[in-house]
Amino acid sequence: MASTSDTSERVTVTLADGIADVRLNRPEKRNALDPAMFEALVTTGERLKSEPGVRVVVLSGEGPDFCAGLDFTSFRAMRDGQRLSALAQLPPSDGPAQAAGQRAAYVWAELPVPVIAALRGNALGGGLQIALGADIRIVAPDARLSVFEVAWGLVPDMTGTQLLPELVGRDVAKELTLTARIVGGEEAARIGLATRTAPDPLADALALAGQIAQHSPHAVRAAKRLLDLGGRTDLGTGFAEEQKEIGALIGSANQAEAVAARFEKRAPRFTDV
């Protein structure tokens, strides 16, 4: 069964078969970021952290673009020393991301379930940084991606300086950031900025989400958590966490169901609790 809700006029969510289809919904402005969009992204991500039945999230934009970055109004305000993103009304956060822009991007990395971003058209500046919060990025071959902030006399401040080097390497991250050049979809996949290309990235992302949603939600969440530790903690801690997760999974209801379904050659029936 599918359910649809508006978190605001800026972001929509449709939940069906364990997949939350999340879409930036400001196509007439290329899904540009303003205080209302920041609020909607954070509110949506925070809600999905505990939304019953969510197994995978697909993040995309309505219209021809994913997100073209900050609204032009924000740049005009910056000339006078104002930061409109600070006007976003958000409750305090106990996570590492504190500023509204950081939270709008990093909330997707904080979700316990996999997040797949589907990018077409422009994913520039803050728009690209939001996509960096996803676990997987599927892009159209003719998509336009850029760490564009230096062109506006700025630096990436929505977690990009910390997450981008992990994906593409420190030297490539510096080259992309210091030039603000536009990267096409094929190059993005080649350098690790994207996972792969697809003619229809949203359809591909939804198909992949459906594939992931067929597996035990507890195993999928545990795998994401462990993989996110890789390279961010010492090996002893990482190995210990592996044993903790495998110990919790072996003999659990969903693990027993996975084994039974495989032997009986049928679709598994997993529970989300």
Side-chain angles (χ1 to χ4, degrees), residues 7-225:
T7 58
S8 80
E9 62 182 17
R10 294 286 190 262
V11 175
T12 63
V13 181
T14 301
L15 178 59
D17 301 322
I19 301 169
D21 184 347
V22 179
R23 303 192 188 191
L24 283 67
N25 188 35
R26 200 186 182 200
E28 73 283 359
K29 295 290 186 179
R30 297 184 179 273
N31 297 319
L33 302 166
D34 63 356
M37 182 68 88
F38 284 126
E39 290 176 14
L41 285 165
V42 175
T43 301
T44 300
E46 291 292 343
R47 190 189 59 157
L48 289 174
K49 288 180 181 180
S50 56
E51 184 80 6
V54 174
R55 297 186 181 183
V56 191
V57 171
V58 173
L59 182 63
S60 67
E62 290 286 7
D65 298 285
F66 177 71
C67 175
L70 285 179
D71 189 294
F72 284 155
T73 304
S74 296
F75 293 116
R76 296 190 184 100
M78 286 178 189
R79 290 185 306 185
D80 301 322
Q82 299 178 6
R83 192 176 186 182
L84 294 188
S85 63
L87 300 178
Q89 300 297 307
L90 297 171
S93 169
D94 56 3
Q98 293 296 311
Q102 291 177 330
R103 292 176 66 182
Y106 199 66
V107 70
W108 308 104
E110 293 178 318
L111 260 65
V113 300
V115 178
I116 306 168
L119 277 59
R120 61 184 176 187
N122 290 299
L124 308 176
L128 176 58
Q129 290 179 84
I130 289 170
L132 296 182
D135 300 288
I136 296 167
R137 280 160 296 283
I138 301 174
V139 304
D142 60 353
R144 291 160 43 89
L145 291 71
S146 178
V147 188
F148 204 65
E149 282 77 7
V150 72
W152 292 101
L154 303 169
V155 296
D157 69 329
M158 291 170 56
T159 75
T161 61
Q162 304 306 299
L163 299 185
L164 184 61
E166 189 175 59
L167 293 173
V168 301
R170 192 174 301 277
D171 58 340
V172 174
K174 288 179 179 179
E175 188 256 341
L176 293 175
T177 302
L178 299 177
T179 63
R181 70 181 180 87
I182 304 292
V183 175
E186 297 289 356
E187 182 183 359
R190 188 169 66 250
I191 65 177
L193 189 58
T195 309
R196 65 170 181 258
T197 63
D200 187 338
L202 180 56
D204 201 81
L206 289 170
L208 177 59
Q211 197 175 1
I212 294 171
Q214 293 175 11
H215 295 295
S216 162
H218 293 89
V220 168
R221 288 179 176 224
K224 171 173 174 170
R225 193 178 82 82

